[in-house]
């Protein structure tokens, strides 16, 4: 069968290629560039703990050492500290702050020895054609040629050629926020802590006066962002240096500490959402499908979730034939999740940027605003938390044995220690992304006794038989405990780590029904696949 064609070699496209390879699906990555990224310390990304773990699992690289896990977070207003958070690796893990070129290089390094992935550099897409049996793409340039694939995924950024060739609208708002950015090496009074400072007391008139964010990187490097006022005022080098000196002096009791300026830039935030994320055999992901980032939210986090969501669905269809409902669920789940974050940001923007007027009518508004901004920066709450798929078309209906646990159906599961089928102890998250559903039995005591003592006892034989009979490949795991789950609870988990359901004991019929729903029901017929591809074809 033909490989999946991935257009774009940024973090999302490379992550998707790795995720497909881990599920034995070949791909071709069309990179319009030379195959390497220019180092830019003013261009960084903040990753939630779960997306950082996804990348570490795929690359096998020590990303923790390449980036910075903050020791804490503080919010300030004028001279007052309004909120402080100390991160704890176990209960409250810190996000990972890393330069984007470092992340991209780690992904490229992981792909160098991957036999299932071909990266074609200097290959710019200029046409896409679809037919019932696959997709054909043409690239121009020194290595211009035709490429044949089973599916095509556009991960080619905000100006996506794939999206334009499909004639998909990309409505939204332009320049929702603008920030002046500087990366510099210096020493600040708080080591390894990120900071959001609103209305600093040293502010002056002109751009960048009202809000500044400081986020540490390794080796004493900091990224500083100053919120710019609406408009298109030019950020000159002189103005930026003045802001740097003013800010550093304000944070250091009036004396500007020594610093080395490493990189600068202007970061403009747009909010846009593509009308469609699937047209036949062609999909959009990452910035090609959505743009967000106001109020500290991180768009790359959502792009990586796109790749994680789509990879196992493409893999199942690639290995086992048409699964149209499953492939359709990619748009239904991911577009709804991103739309919810965009709505939350659009609702919060007037409150947070509306000036003093609103504070006269809302008691405690200032503190509430700081909480909202903190959530955006740290990947929490409506502005930053990962999306859940409770309303997904893949959610099972009417399961008599369903019971509640602390994770809602459709939400990401907690990372607990589990026993694998070979008797080894691993983390639950390490078993994700392999293309198989996970069936997790909660059985207190199994961590104490050797596997041979309990694998054939109690309900285990019945559960093992039920797992073997499921309509999709599944792996049976056992855990001592899971938050909110009673003994003998059985959790069904998707390959991307979202909970399908929790059942009260071994209920083979309910487990089968839930597994069938999770993969889109019975596989679609070839005729249905052909009709879908023909209806959505996009000619060059």
């Amino acid at each position: 069968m033909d490989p999946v064609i991935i257009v774009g070699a940024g973090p999302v496209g490379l992550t998707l290629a790795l995720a497909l390879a881990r599920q034995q699906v070949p791909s071709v990555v069309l990179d319009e560039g030379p195959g390497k990224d220019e180092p830019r310390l003013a261009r960084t990304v903040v990753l939630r703990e779960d997306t950082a773990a996804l990348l570490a699992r795929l690359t096998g690289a020590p990303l923790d050492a390449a980036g910075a896990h903050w020791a804490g977070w503080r919010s300030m207003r004028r001279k007052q500290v309004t909120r402080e958070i100390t991160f704890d690796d176990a209960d409250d893990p810190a996000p990972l702050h890393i330069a984007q070129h470092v992340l991209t290089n780690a992904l490229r390094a992981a792909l160098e020895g991957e036999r299932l992935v071909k990266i074609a550099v200097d290959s710019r897409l200029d046409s896409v054609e679809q037919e019932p049996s696959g997709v054909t793409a043409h690239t121009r340039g020194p290595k211009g040629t035709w490429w044949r694939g089973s599916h095509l995924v556009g991960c080619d950024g905000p100006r996506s050629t794939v999206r334009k060739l499909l004639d998909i609208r990309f409505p939204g708002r332009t320049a929702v926020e603008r920030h002046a950015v500087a990366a510099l090496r210096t020493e600040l009074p708080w080591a390894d802590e990120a900071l959001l400072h609103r209305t600093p007391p040293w502010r002056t008139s002109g751009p960048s006066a009202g809000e500044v964010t400081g986020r540490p990187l390794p080796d004493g490097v900091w990224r500083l962002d100053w919120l710019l006022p609406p408009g298109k005022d030019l950020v000159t080098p002189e103005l930026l240096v003045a802001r740097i000196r003013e800010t550093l002096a304000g944070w250091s009791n009036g004396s500007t500490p020594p610093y080395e300026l490493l990189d600068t830039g202007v970061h403009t935030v747009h909010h846009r959402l593509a009308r469609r994320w699937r047209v036949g055999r062609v999909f959009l992901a990452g910035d090609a499908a959505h743009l967000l980032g106001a109020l500290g939210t991180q768009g790359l986090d959502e792009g990586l979730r796109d790749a994680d969501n789509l990879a196992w669905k493409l893999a199942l269809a690639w290995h086992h034939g048409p699964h149209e409902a499953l492939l359709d669920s990619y748009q239904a789940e991911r577009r709804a999740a991103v739309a919810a974050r965009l709505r939350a940001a659009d609702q919060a923007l007037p409150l947070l940027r509306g000036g003093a007027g609103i504070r006269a009518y809302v008691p405690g508004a200032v503190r509430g605003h700081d909480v909202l901004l903190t959530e955006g920066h740290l990947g929490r709450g409506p502005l930053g938390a990962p999306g859940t798929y409770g309303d997904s078309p893949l959610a099972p209906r009417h399961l008599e044995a369903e019971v509640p646990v602390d994770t809602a159906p459709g939400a990401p599961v907690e990372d607990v220690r589990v026993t694998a089928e070979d008797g080894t102890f691993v983390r639950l998250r390490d078993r994700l992304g392999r293309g198989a559903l996970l069936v997790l039995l909660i059985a207190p005591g199994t961590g104490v006794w050797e596997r041979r003592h309990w694998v054939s006892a109690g309900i285990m034989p019945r559960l093992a038989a039920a797992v073997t009979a499921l309509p999709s490949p599944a792996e049976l795991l056992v855990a001592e405990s899971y938050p909110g789950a009673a003994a003998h609870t059985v959790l069904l988990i998707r390959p991307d780590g979202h909970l399908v359901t929790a059942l009260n004991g071994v209920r083979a019929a309910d487990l089968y029904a839930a597994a069938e729903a999770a993969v889109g029901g019975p596989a679609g017929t070839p005729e249905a696949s052909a009709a879908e591809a023909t209806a959505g074809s996009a000619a060059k």
Side-chain angles (χ1 to χ4, degrees):
M1 191 170 175
D2 294 320
V4 174
I5 300 172
I6 300 171
V7 183
V12 175
L14 297 177
T15 297
L16 178 59
L18 269 176
L20 288 172
R22 297 295 182 264
Q23 297 171 72
Q24 302 303 307
V25 176
S27 63
V28 173
V29 181
L30 304 181
D31 183 359
E32 68 175 47
K36 59 182 179 180
D37 282 22
E38 176 188 2
R40 289 292 311 275
L41 287 174
R43 190 177 186 187
T44 65
V45 295
V46 179
L47 302 176
R48 271 183 50 93
E49 187 259 348
D50 59 333
T51 47
L54 165 68
L55 292 171
R57 184 175 74 243
L58 290 175
T59 62
L63 294 180
D64 289 355
H69 282 288
W70 306 329
W73 169 274
R74 65 176 61 194
S75 298
M76 296 182 66
R77 188 172 184 85
R78 298 187 177 92
K79 297 181 179 181
Q80 299 297 317
V81 176
T82 59
R83 185 174 177 86
E84 286 188 278
I85 297 173
T86 300
F87 296 115
D88 179 276
D89 289 341
D91 300 324
D92 191 8
L96 176 66
H97 187 209
I98 187 170
Q100 183 163 318
H101 72 273
V102 173
L103 174 59
T104 305
N105 287 341
L107 289 164
R108 288 187 186 275
L111 286 166
E112 283 180 358
E114 182 51 68
R115 62 178 180 81
L116 291 176
V117 181
K118 174 182 175 60
I119 299 181
V121 300
D122 298 320
S123 298
R124 183 176 179 82
L125 182 76
D126 61 9
S127 69
V128 175
E129 295 178 350
Q130 294 194 62
E131 56 191 70
S133 59
V135 182
T136 303
H138 184 264
T139 54
R140 57 185 171 87
K143 299 181 180 180
T145 187
W146 290 95
W147 303 89
R148 181 68 178 171
S150 61
H151 298 83
L152 183 146
V153 186
C155 305
D156 48 343
R159 297 180 176 85
S160 170
T161 300
V162 174
R163 190 184 65 242
K164 293 172 183 176
L165 289 173
L166 296 178
D167 196 25
I168 296 175
R169 294 184 58 202
F170 199 39
R173 301 170 60 192
T174 300
V176 177
E177 288 185 350
R178 286 199 312 148
H179 297 262
V181 183
L184 49 92
R185 182 175 285 109
T186 190
E187 186 174 337
L188 294 179
W190 41 83
D192 303 324
E193 288 189 6
L195 169 75
L196 172 66
H197 200 160
R198 304 187 72 200
T199 321
W202 63 82
R203 63 176 182 165
T204 60
S205 60
S208 355
E211 182 176 303
V212 58
T213 306
R215 289 172 285 197
L217 285 162
D219 302 322
V221 176
W222 290 78
R223 170 174 166 168
L224 305 185
D225 290 59
W226 294 266
L227 178 66
L228 297 171
K232 299 182 179 179
D233 294 338
L234 183 64
V235 181
T236 64
E238 294 78 13
L239 178 63
L240 189 54
V241 169
R243 290 293 174 260
I244 292 171
R245 297 181 62 82
E246 177 184 71
T247 300
L248 295 182
W251 285 343
S252 304
N253 297 319
S255 176
T256 303
Y259 70 91
E260 177 187 2
L261 184 58
L262 304 172
D263 193 17
T264 63
V266 175
H267 175 52
T268 303
V269 175
H270 310 291
H271 278 182
R272 297 190 179 277
L273 186 65
R275 293 289 192 194
R276 301 180 66 184
W277 291 27
R278 181 191 184 193
V279 177
R281 290 179 173 268
V282 180
F283 302 81
L284 299 179
D287 286 351
H290 51 77
L291 295 175
L292 68 162
L295 307 179
T297 58
Q298 297 292 323
L300 180 58
D301 236 29
E302 293 294 356
L304 296 175
R305 292 191 180 97
D306 294 345
D308 198 25
N309 184 289
L310 183 57
W312 72 273
K313 298 173 180 179
L314 283 175
L316 197 150
W318 196 91
H319 286 296
H320 301 289
H323 278 69
E324 295 307 308
L326 180 65
L327 295 178
D328 280 342
S329 73
Y330 166 68
Q331 172 176 305
E333 292 178 345
R334 293 300 307 141
R335 191 177 187 278
V338 175
R341 284 188 67 176
L342 285 171
R343 283 195 300 271
D346 286 342
Q347 291 167 0
L349 270 167
L351 298 176
L352 296 171
R353 307 299 189 214
I358 189 69
R359 295 197 295 273
Y361 301 98
V362 183
V366 171
R367 184 167 295 276
H369 296 174
D370 289 336
V371 171
L372 270 176
L373 279 170
T374 297
E375 288 181 341
H377 281 279
L378 300 184
R380 302 175 175 181
L383 289 180
T388 62
Y389 309 139
D391 295 327
S392 167
L394 304 182
R397 303 289 189 264
H398 312 301
L399 300 176
E400 293 182 1
E402 189 168 35
V403 293
V405 295
D406 286 358
T407 301
V413 294
E414 298 289 334
D415 187 28
V416 298
R417 192 180 82 153
V418 299
T419 306
E421 292 186 67
D422 61 2
T424 59
F425 293 114
V426 296
R427 304 300 300 182
L428 175 59
R429 190 173 279 158
D430 292 337
R431 313 307 289 185
L432 300 176
R434 300 179 175 214
L437 298 171
L438 302 180
V439 178
L440 178 62
L441 170 67
I442 310 306
T446 50
V448 178
W449 302 101
E450 291 185 18
R451 179 178 181 273
R452 61 189 176 89
H453 292 307
W454 51 260
V455 70
S456 60
I459 65 174
M460 278 297 296
R462 285 192 294 127
L463 181 57
V467 171
T468 302
L470 292 180
S472 183
E475 180 182 8
L476 177 58
L477 304 169
V478 181
E480 280 265 2
S481 63
Y482 186 88
H488 296 171
T489 300
V490 175
L491 279 64
L492 181 64
I493 303 165
R494 300 180 355 167
D496 59 355
H498 287 255
L499 180 66
V500 178
T501 188
L503 302 175
N504 180 21
V506 181
R507 306 297 180 95
D510 278 356
L511 186 61
Y512 187 97
E516 188 175 55
V519 297
T525 64
E527 291 79 14
S529 177
E532 170 68 17
T534 302
S537 63
K540 62 180 178 179

